[in-house]
Amino acid sequence: EYHPVWKGGGLMGKNQHVTPKGNLWQVKGAGNRRATKLFDTQAEAIDYARNIAINQQSEVVIHRPNG
């Protein structure tokens, strides 16, 4: 059974999106215009996004190389 946790007046943190950006991979918080960080590989980006998502009690959304 799922029980969301309230933190700082909000339900959860922003979901972290792993998306391609040219030859790189970026991690972006949902709704953010700019990338949080850029990576050479998708795997590095996923690891980074996972750590943020765990900390913020949110989820990671992984996009395919073609968007």
Side-chain angles (χ1 to χ4, degrees), residues 23-42:
N23 292 328
L24 301 173
W25 288 87
Q26 65 183 354
V27 174
K28 284 175 73 173
N32 290 358
R33 287 179 26 200
R34 297 182 54 178
T36 303
K37 195 164 182 180
L38 296 172
F39 297 90
D40 290 326
T41 68
Q42 184 189 41

Side-chain angles (χ1 to χ4, degrees), residues 16-29 35 37-39 41-42 45-46 49 60-67:
Q16 300 300 309
H17 290 257
V18 175
T19 61
K21 182 175 176 76
N23 292 328
L24 301 173
W25 288 87
Q26 65 183 354
V27 174
K28 284 175 73 173
K37 195 164 182 180
L38 296 172
F39 297 90
T41 68
Q42 184 189 41
I46 291 169
V60 176
V61 180
I62 302 166
H63 296 258
R64 288 185 289 225
N66 62 359

